[in-house]
Amino acid sequence: EEGRSYPLVIYLHGAGERGNDPRLALANSGGYTFAMPDWQKKHPCYVAAPQVAENEWWTDDWYMEMIVRLIMTLSFKGAAIDRARVYITGLSMGGMGTWKMISKYPGLFAAAMPICGAGDPFEIRAAKDVPVWAFHAADDPVVKADGYLSAPFEGNVGSRWLVNALRGAGAADVRYTEYPAGWMEEHDKHPHSAWEPAYANEQAKEWMFSKVNDRYDIHWIMPGFYWIEDAKDASLY
């Protein structure tokens, strides 16, 4: 609708969807659940589903910078993106990218929904003000829900430990759903595919869309001198 602004959902696919066929980015439900007619009727929004090339990762600096440029420059004829309602979600490799993005650029996002991902438990403390609802299966054999990961992800931990790190940093709005060991297989799903029940969770999606980024980031420059910026890129000293 002309003159209106709409939320933007950034969806980051998993490692199996890398390549140069953009249809792969929509292979799993995260790529289209927010674009479905029933969701658009309730919550009209834009959905961006970029794609990573073969043998590359969302956590590579170039891709993180690309996502930021996408958020800041994406425009549509007659309507705009509501910069206070930019959401990010992803699965597996995309879950790792989601954790990394909110760690590095916490001021950009109103909320995040990382699924079966991993990240740095120290870096994530920078995202303590970003509302997060994470999902993982306890018996995920691909990305462990807790503990440190093996090569090539040394230093990264699973969702359970990341959530604990956020809570330890003082995060006030962090939710975590962990499917018990055996639950996924009982429901005819692979233990790594936590995105299937997660993206079918209407409560979680409604929760994410209820969040508005009204935070101010305050950066100390020197005694008596601060840089203050908001989600819409307004700033002052």
Side-chain angles (χ1 to χ4, degrees), residues 1-233:
E1 184 178 331
E2 191 166 348
R4 283 189 60 183
S5 61
Y6 296 93
L8 171 65
V9 178
I10 301 292
Y11 165 70
L12 307 182
H13 63 73
E17 291 76 59
R18 291 178 289 189
N20 56 13
D21 182 353
R23 292 173 297 181
L24 290 174
L26 306 177
N28 290 306
S29 53
Y32 54 79
T33 187
F34 298 103
M36 295 298 286
D38 57 342
W39 185 263
Q40 287 286 326
K41 185 176 181 179
K42 291 188 299 181
H43 301 291
C45 65
Y46 298 114
V47 180
Q51 187 179 33
V52 169
E54 290 284 356
N55 302 316
E56 297 182 357
W57 303 87
W58 285 121
T59 50
D60 294 344
D61 287 341
W62 187 90
Y63 283 104
M64 290 190 290
E65 293 167 4
M66 179 271 289
I67 294 168
V68 173
R69 288 197 301 270
L70 180 70
I71 293 169
M72 301 307 293
T73 62
L74 198 60
S75 62
F76 301 89
K77 184 177 180 180
I81 292 169
D82 184 349
R83 296 286 173 78
R85 297 186 66 199
V86 176
Y87 308 113
I88 187 165
T89 183
L91 57 92
S92 194
M93 180 188 74
M96 295 179 184
T98 300
W99 285 113
K100 188 77 171 180
M101 286 298 299
I102 64 173
S103 297
K104 193 167 183 180
Y105 305 103
L108 285 179
F109 302 104
M113 193 171 156
I115 303 170
C116 58
D120 187 305
F122 299 100
E123 287 183 352
I124 196 58
R125 295 169 65 87
K128 66 181 181 62
D129 295 323
V130 181
V132 172
W133 191 333
F135 293 81
H136 219 121
D139 52 351
D140 187 331
V142 180
V143 180
K144 295 196 302 181
D146 67 339
Y148 281 91
L149 277 62
S150 56
F153 305 111
E154 296 95 339
N156 287 339
V157 301
S159 302
R160 190 190 304 170
W161 281 25
L162 289 171
V163 166
N164 288 340
L166 277 175
R167 289 171 174 163
D173 196 354
V174 180
R175 302 186 181 198
Y176 180 47
T177 297
E178 185 172 290
Y179 304 106
W183 187 92
M184 295 291 289
E185 291 181 324
E186 288 172 7
H187 291 78
D188 298 320
K189 304 178 191 302
H190 188 278
H192 183 51
S193 60
W195 57 84
E196 293 185 31
Y199 286 129
N201 188 325
E202 293 299 314
Q203 181 185 2
K205 292 186 291 185
E206 291 284 355
W207 170 89
M208 188 169 75
F209 265 66
S210 73
K211 302 303 175 183
V212 178
N213 186 356
D214 56 2
R215 305 185 303 273
Y216 288 86
D217 289 333
I218 302 175
H219 309 272
W220 183 83
I221 305 298
M222 59 186 293
F225 193 60
Y226 297 85
W227 172 30
I228 305 172
E229 60 178 343
D230 69 9
K232 296 186 177 181
D233 209 29

